[in-house]
Every structure is written in structure tokens, then in C-alpha cells.
Amino acid sequence: MNVQRTQVGIIGAGPAGLVLSHLLHLHGIESVVFENRSRQHVEERVRAGVLEQGTVDLLTQMGVGERMQREGLVHYGIELRFNGEGHRIDFKDLTGGKGITIYAQAEVLKDLNNARIAAGGQVLFEVEDVAVCDLESSHPKIRYRKDATDYELHCDFIAGCDGYHGICRPSIPSHALTEYDRIYPFGWLGILAEAPPSSHELIYAYHDRGFALLSMRTPHISRLYLQCQPDEDIETWSDDRIWHELHTRLVSSNWKLTEGPVLQKGVTGMRSFVVEPMQYHRLFLAGDSAHIVPPTGAKGLNLAVSDVQILARGLDEYYSKCSLRLLDRYSEICLRRVWKVQRFSWWMTSMLHRFTDDNPFDQRRQLAELDYVTSSRAASKSLAENYVGLPLDPLE
Ligand code: FAD
Ligand code: PHB
């Protein structure tokens, strides 16, 4: 067994793990990142696409925002479409000038990987049998296998950034954690299409046949979603059937959906999940390993980034002032924000989707809610300030 040492061991090279590793580097703190998939796989996975203003500002401050500033699409509003009519929520006006940026998660990860490598950072891909141990001690360890050799890394702290299916959360004794979750009776069928987006801004559509979303990745690539069964068989959805359903659900007068070759398609289930606390001794959970939100609020990636921003500040305080004060409050500080984002994602999801057990009363109530949100300035403002991203709570 080869024994090594670092300050912070990070499991998972998704947005949480890579942002944390680079932030720590900027504070002069050493880390090693372990990822069980290949770099190519991580950089090609089609996932989130909406960055909050705070995420954009952080990536820019970290020196990894150059390509995002050049290629990202800045939006100052979204459209809510119901009864065949569109209603714009004007973020700029309602939030004092804030917006969102469309820039794919995969591109964010490419930029972060390049920055870590340029700075001489250690990001190990295709690592096998990653395990954490001695969690109750002051030097927790990460065991792993790479190129048929076993290693043990002694750390001051471990960050569990390994997503919902990772090994960190299940390594914590179950009596130390409480889990809260809700599984929705639907999923999203998503496609990436080689077609110029039919709208400058995102369209969230409520329709009798279910929710639909028009989003995009670039001026030439559209990203579109349809509410479907959680276990929908993608094989039963030909490209023609997908386009037909999108036309139906996104219908509006004087507007046309542009079609194009489908480059990728898949079905994602939807759940809300939170684990409390997000810390066990010197193991900190961040991002999807600690919480999942349904994608309707476009929050998953952004929440992962705000967790590690708080964690990096706590680790910086530990190494610069020998103080555990902020680290001890990590979970409490994160969870306040996590639950607000859970509330917003749940609210957007329940307003826009058809539920299996809904009845005409529920439909009328949803339409009244959409009417209220789009006609009351107070309600529009609440949606807008949540969508562009709530501020990080002051840490003092
Ligand atoms: P992840 O990005 O999941 O990163 C965790 C990393 O840990 C992964 O690279 C994984 O390979 C690695 N890992 C796991 N187990 C191990 C192990 N044992 N050892 C080493 N490494 C390990 N959000 C949106 O806002 N919009 C979307 O359209 C959207 N689509 C999504 C589609 C899918 C299929 C999924 C799963 C998520 C989607 N999300 C979406 C959510 C968003 O992408 C996540 O919230 C975000 O990726 C969270 O970042 P993270 O770093 O916490 O976790
Ligand atoms: C996306 O572009 O993938 C996207 C946009 C908005 C959402 C979810 C996903 O709410």
C-alpha cells in the first residue's frame, strides 16, 4: 500500500469538486481530486445549462470565466407560457439588473479541468474502489486503486462531492443522518437538437398534456424537454413523435418551433432530497451528494457551487487562523440556503407539471397561480429573485 498525504481530499470531479479544488488552490491550500469516470465522459455528459449571476461572478473571480464570458448567452428574462400565450418575467427590471447565463455544465467542467492542470493541480480520473475511512479521527483517509496499485491518502479533511450515487454519504453511519425526500410521479425527456433556438429566452410551458421547456446551449443548438413518465421507455419516442409533442405543448400564436437533427436524447427522473447534517466530523458533503432538486428551477449546479464556496471559506479560516469556527457551522449555513432553493424548485415544479392524481380543481388552481405570477409585480419579483439566485448569507 502506497501512503500519501494532502490537506483536503476531494471525491468527485463534477462542478462541486472542481470548483472547490480550484478555490482552495487560490487560497494556497493543497487538494487531490478523485474521479471514477474518464475525463472525456465527465466533459461530455449532457446536464445543466443555466448559471446564476453569483455562479458566473465566482467563476470569473476564480479566473476560469474567460470562455464563458465570450461564449455564454446572457438572458434577462424567461417566458411562462400557458393557455397558448406567453408572459415574460423581466429579471433585469425586477432584480435591479441581474440575469442568468446559458453555458453548459460540460463547458464549465472543461474550463475548470484546464485551469487545474495549468496550475499543476492533481485531478485523478478513472480511479477505482474509492473508499473513505477513519472518519472519526483527525486524519481521515481515502483508499483507492489506480493502474492496478492500491493507495492510501491521509487528509486533514475530506469533501464528498461525489453526487447522489457516490460513496461518501453512505459511508456515514445512518444514525448520524436524517434524509428528507420526495419523488415526483413524472420525469423529463430531454433532447439536444441541431436547430437554432426558436426563442431568444427560455420558455416554460404549462399544457394539458404536460410541461414542456425550450432551452438552448448555443445560437445553433437547442435543448428541449417534455414531461413524461418517470420510467418512460425512450425507444418508444421517435424523433418525429418528440417534435410533434413539442409543437403541441409549446403552441402559441405567431410563433413557430424550429426543428433540426436530434443529437442526443434521454430520460431523467425527478426528486427532491436533502440530508441533514451535511457534515460528519471531518467529512463534508457538498452538491448532489447532500441534496437533489428537480430541474424546473435550474438550480442543481448553482447549489453545488454555493456549498463549496462556503466550504472553501471555512477551510481557509482553518488554515489561516487555526479556527474551526466556520467549518463547524458549514452544515447550518448551507442548509438555510438549500431549503430555500428546495422550496423554489418544488414550487416551480408543482406549478408547471400535470400530476397523475390532479383534477379540474388542481388545473384551475395552477392556471390561477400562473396568472397571478405573471400579473402581480410582487409575485413576479419573487420568482425573478429566486431564479437569478438568492445571495449567499453573510457568514459572520
Ligand atoms: P456531479 O456533477 O454528479 O459530480 C459528482 C462526480 O462524482 C461525478 O463526476 C461522478 O462520476 C463522481 N463520482 C461518483 N461516485 C464516485 C466514486 N465512488 N468515486 C469517485 N468519483 C465518483 N441540473 C439542471 O439544473 N438542469 C439539468 O438539465 C440537469 N440535468 C441533469 C441530468 C442528469 C442525468 C443529472 C444526474 C443531473 C442533472 N442536473 C441538472 C443536475 C446538475 O447537473 C447537478 O446538480 C450537478 O451536476 C451537481 O454537481 P455535483 O458536483 O454535486 O455532482
Ligand atoms: C437546460 O438548459 O438544460 C435547463 C434549463 C432550465 C431548466 C432546466 C434545464 O430549468
Side-chain angles (χ1 to χ4, degrees), residues 99-121:
I100 51 155
T101 297
I102 305 297
Y103 190 63
Q105 177 165 331
E107 304 308 315
V108 175
L109 294 181
K110 282 179 203 162
D111 296 343
L112 284 163
N113 276 324
N114 288 335
R116 292 309 302 121
I117 289 160

mmCIF file of all heavy atoms in Angstrom, residues 99-121:
data_model
loop_
_atom_site.group_PDB
_atom_site.id
_atom_site.type_symbol
_atom_site.label_atom_id
_atom_site.label_comp_id
_atom_site.label_asym_id
_atom_site.label_seq_id
_atom_site.Cartn_x
_atom_site.Cartn_y
_atom_site.Cartn_z
ATOM 1 N N GLY A 99 -29.169 38.918 -14.186
ATOM 2 C CA GLY A 99 -29.585 37.998 -15.248
ATOM 3 C C GLY A 99 -29.013 36.618 -14.998
ATOM 4 O O GLY A 99 -28.452 36.344 -13.925
ATOM 5 N N ILE A 100 -29.156 35.747 -15.987
ATOM 6 C CA ILE A 100 -28.580 34.401 -15.928
ATOM 7 C C ILE A 100 -27.726 34.219 -17.183
ATOM 8 O O ILE A 100 -27.887 34.972 -18.153
ATOM 9 C CB ILE A 100 -29.675 33.313 -15.889
ATOM 10 C CG1 ILE A 100 -30.693 33.537 -17.025
ATOM 11 C CG2 ILE A 100 -30.372 33.279 -14.530
ATOM 12 C CD1 ILE A 100 -31.418 32.322 -17.469
ATOM 13 N N THR A 101 -26.852 33.216 -17.156
ATOM 14 C CA THR A 101 -26.030 32.938 -18.331
ATOM 15 C C THR A 101 -26.233 31.493 -18.750
ATOM 16 O O THR A 101 -26.193 30.583 -17.916
ATOM 17 C CB THR A 101 -24.536 33.196 -18.009
ATOM 18 O OG1 THR A 101 -24.392 34.588 -17.708
ATOM 19 C CG2 THR A 101 -23.637 32.847 -19.190
ATOM 20 N N ILE A 102 -26.468 31.293 -20.048
ATOM 21 C CA ILE A 102 -26.601 29.941 -20.581
ATOM 22 C C ILE A 102 -25.213 29.491 -21.011
ATOM 23 O O ILE A 102 -24.618 30.072 -21.934
ATOM 24 C CB ILE A 102 -27.543 29.928 -21.814
ATOM 25 C CG1 ILE A 102 -28.909 30.557 -21.479
ATOM 26 C CG2 ILE A 102 -27.704 28.519 -22.368
ATOM 27 C CD1 ILE A 102 -29.701 29.857 -20.439
ATOM 28 N N TYR A 103 -24.706 28.484 -20.324
ATOM 29 C CA TYR A 103 -23.369 27.963 -20.628
ATOM 30 C C TYR A 103 -23.364 26.554 -20.045
ATOM 31 O O TYR A 103 -23.578 26.372 -18.844
ATOM 32 C CB TYR A 103 -22.303 28.851 -19.983
ATOM 33 C CG TYR A 103 -20.877 28.568 -20.396
ATOM 34 C CD1 TYR A 103 -20.466 28.719 -21.719
ATOM 35 C CD2 TYR A 103 -19.933 28.159 -19.453
ATOM 36 C CE1 TYR A 103 -19.142 28.479 -22.085
ATOM 37 C CE2 TYR A 103 -18.618 27.929 -19.815
ATOM 38 C CZ TYR A 103 -18.227 28.085 -21.131
ATOM 39 O OH TYR A 103 -16.920 27.851 -21.492
ATOM 40 N N ALA A 104 -23.147 25.558 -20.902
ATOM 41 C CA ALA A 104 -23.364 24.161 -20.485
ATOM 42 C C ALA A 104 -22.417 23.740 -19.365
ATOM 43 O O ALA A 104 -21.248 24.139 -19.330
ATOM 44 C CB ALA A 104 -23.173 23.241 -21.681
ATOM 45 N N GLN A 105 -22.938 22.884 -18.472
ATOM 46 C CA GLN A 105 -22.131 22.323 -17.374
ATOM 47 C C GLN A 105 -20.851 21.690 -17.910
ATOM 48 O O GLN A 105 -19.783 21.841 -17.326
ATOM 49 C CB GLN A 105 -22.980 21.291 -16.623
ATOM 50 C CG GLN A 105 -22.251 20.576 -15.517
ATOM 51 C CD GLN A 105 -23.200 19.845 -14.582
ATOM 52 O OE1 GLN A 105 -24.357 20.237 -14.395
ATOM 53 N NE2 GLN A 105 -22.735 18.781 -13.965
ATOM 54 N N ALA A 106 -20.956 20.995 -19.041
ATOM 55 C CA ALA A 106 -19.776 20.324 -19.615
ATOM 56 C C ALA A 106 -18.688 21.342 -19.968
ATOM 57 O O ALA A 106 -17.499 21.063 -19.808
ATOM 58 C CB ALA A 106 -20.196 19.545 -20.863
ATOM 59 N N GLU A 107 -19.104 22.517 -20.421
ATOM 60 C CA GLU A 107 -18.116 23.562 -20.768
ATOM 61 C C GLU A 107 -17.473 24.118 -19.497
ATOM 62 O O GLU A 107 -16.272 24.389 -19.475
ATOM 63 C CB GLU A 107 -18.789 24.694 -21.572
ATOM 64 C CG GLU A 107 -19.498 24.232 -22.842
ATOM 65 C CD GLU A 107 -18.599 23.391 -23.743
ATOM 66 O OE1 GLU A 107 -17.441 23.767 -23.946
ATOM 67 O OE2 GLU A 107 -19.066 22.339 -24.224
ATOM 68 N N VAL A 108 -18.289 24.288 -18.443
ATOM 69 C CA VAL A 108 -17.743 24.752 -17.159
ATOM 70 C C VAL A 108 -16.674 23.760 -16.689
ATOM 71 O O VAL A 108 -15.596 24.145 -16.239
ATOM 72 C CB VAL A 108 -18.870 24.861 -16.095
ATOM 73 C CG1 VAL A 108 -18.296 25.211 -14.727
ATOM 74 C CG2 VAL A 108 -19.919 25.887 -16.501
ATOM 75 N N LEU A 109 -16.968 22.465 -16.829
ATOM 76 C CA LEU A 109 -16.018 21.440 -16.357
ATOM 77 C C LEU A 109 -14.745 21.433 -17.199
ATOM 78 O O LEU A 109 -13.650 21.269 -16.652
ATOM 79 C CB LEU A 109 -16.682 20.056 -16.367
ATOM 80 C CG LEU A 109 -17.845 19.901 -15.367
ATOM 81 C CD1 LEU A 109 -18.431 18.495 -15.427
ATOM 82 C CD2 LEU A 109 -17.398 20.207 -13.935
ATOM 83 N N LYS A 110 -14.876 21.641 -18.499
ATOM 84 C CA LYS A 110 -13.668 21.717 -19.350
ATOM 85 C C LYS A 110 -12.782 22.873 -18.876
ATOM 86 O O LYS A 110 -11.570 22.729 -18.744
ATOM 87 C CB LYS A 110 -14.050 21.974 -20.818
ATOM 88 C CG LYS A 110 -14.549 20.745 -21.546
ATOM 89 C CD LYS A 110 -14.928 21.125 -22.980
ATOM 90 C CE LYS A 110 -15.933 20.109 -23.510
ATOM 91 N NZ LYS A 110 -16.670 20.556 -24.669
ATOM 92 N N ASP A 111 -13.403 24.037 -18.635
ATOM 93 C CA ASP A 111 -12.635 25.215 -18.214
ATOM 94 C C ASP A 111 -11.951 24.958 -16.874
ATOM 95 O O ASP A 111 -10.797 25.333 -16.666
ATOM 96 C CB ASP A 111 -13.552 26.448 -18.104
ATOM 97 C CG ASP A 111 -14.156 26.838 -19.458
ATOM 98 O OD1 ASP A 111 -13.639 26.387 -20.496
ATOM 99 O OD2 ASP A 111 -15.158 27.590 -19.468
ATOM 100 N N LEU A 112 -12.689 24.305 -15.952
ATOM 101 C CA LEU A 112 -12.112 24.041 -14.624
ATOM 102 C C LEU A 112 -10.978 23.018 -14.715
ATOM 103 O O LEU A 112 -9.937 23.184 -14.083
ATOM 104 C CB LEU A 112 -13.205 23.540 -13.674
ATOM 105 C CG LEU A 112 -14.163 24.621 -13.145
ATOM 106 C CD1 LEU A 112 -15.428 23.997 -12.574
ATOM 107 C CD2 LEU A 112 -13.482 25.474 -12.060
ATOM 108 N N ASN A 113 -11.169 21.954 -15.492
ATOM 109 C CA ASN A 113 -10.101 20.948 -15.639
ATOM 110 C C ASN A 113 -8.844 21.584 -16.227
ATOM 111 O O ASN A 113 -7.732 21.326 -15.758
ATOM 112 C CB ASN A 113 -10.571 19.794 -16.533
ATOM 113 C CG ASN A 113 -11.364 18.759 -15.739
ATOM 114 O OD1 ASN A 113 -11.052 18.491 -14.573
ATOM 115 N ND2 ASN A 113 -12.370 18.172 -16.366
ATOM 116 N N ASN A 114 -9.022 22.430 -17.241
ATOM 117 C CA ASN A 114 -7.866 23.095 -17.847
ATOM 118 C C ASN A 114 -7.141 23.977 -16.825
ATOM 119 O O ASN A 114 -5.912 23.986 -16.758
ATOM 120 C CB ASN A 114 -8.282 23.946 -19.053
ATOM 121 C CG ASN A 114 -8.665 23.053 -20.237
ATOM 122 O OD1 ASN A 114 -8.209 21.909 -20.326
ATOM 123 N ND2 ASN A 114 -9.505 23.556 -21.120
ATOM 124 N N ALA A 115 -7.929 24.688 -16.013
ATOM 125 C CA ALA A 115 -7.316 25.569 -15.007
ATOM 126 C C ALA A 115 -6.574 24.748 -13.952
ATOM 127 O O ALA A 115 -5.486 25.130 -13.507
ATOM 128 C CB ALA A 115 -8.384 26.433 -14.347
ATOM 129 N N ARG A 116 -7.164 23.617 -13.523
ATOM 130 C CA ARG A 116 -6.495 22.783 -12.514
ATOM 131 C C ARG A 116 -5.177 22.244 -13.073
ATOM 132 O O ARG A 116 -4.172 22.206 -12.390
ATOM 133 C CB ARG A 116 -7.388 21.594 -12.078
ATOM 134 C CG ARG A 116 -8.636 21.920 -11.301
ATOM 135 C CD ARG A 116 -8.404 22.830 -10.109
ATOM 136 N NE ARG A 116 -7.457 22.314 -9.143
ATOM 137 C CZ ARG A 116 -6.328 22.952 -8.783
ATOM 138 N NH1 ARG A 116 -5.997 24.124 -9.295
ATOM 139 N NH2 ARG A 116 -5.536 22.425 -7.885
ATOM 140 N N ILE A 117 -5.205 21.813 -14.315
ATOM 141 C CA ILE A 117 -3.988 21.236 -14.914
ATOM 142 C C ILE A 117 -2.924 22.318 -15.094
ATOM 143 O O ILE A 117 -1.765 22.121 -14.744
ATOM 144 C CB ILE A 117 -4.334 20.519 -16.236
ATOM 145 C CG1 ILE A 117 -5.101 19.240 -15.897
ATOM 146 C CG2 ILE A 117 -3.090 20.203 -17.070
ATOM 147 C CD1 ILE A 117 -5.906 18.670 -17.015
ATOM 148 N N ALA A 118 -3.354 23.502 -15.587
ATOM 149 C CA ALA A 118 -2.395 24.599 -15.791
ATOM 150 C C ALA A 118 -1.744 24.999 -14.464
ATOM 151 O O ALA A 118 -0.593 25.425 -14.432
ATOM 152 C CB ALA A 118 -3.106 25.800 -16.413
ATOM 153 N N ALA A 119 -2.473 24.845 -13.351
ATOM 154 C CA ALA A 119 -1.924 25.241 -12.044
ATOM 155 C C ALA A 119 -1.172 24.075 -11.389
ATOM 156 O O ALA A 119 -0.787 24.170 -10.224
ATOM 157 C CB ALA A 119 -3.061 25.711 -11.138
ATOM 158 N N GLY A 120 -1.009 22.975 -12.112
ATOM 159 C CA GLY A 120 -0.294 21.818 -11.554
ATOM 160 C C GLY A 120 -1.131 21.034 -10.560
ATOM 161 O O GLY A 120 -0.609 20.266 -9.745
ATOM 162 N N GLY A 121 -2.464 21.222 -10.596
ATOM 163 C CA GLY A 121 -3.356 20.531 -9.651
ATOM 164 C C GLY A 121 -3.469 19.038 -9.950
ATOM 165 O O GLY A 121 -3.215 18.603 -11.070
#
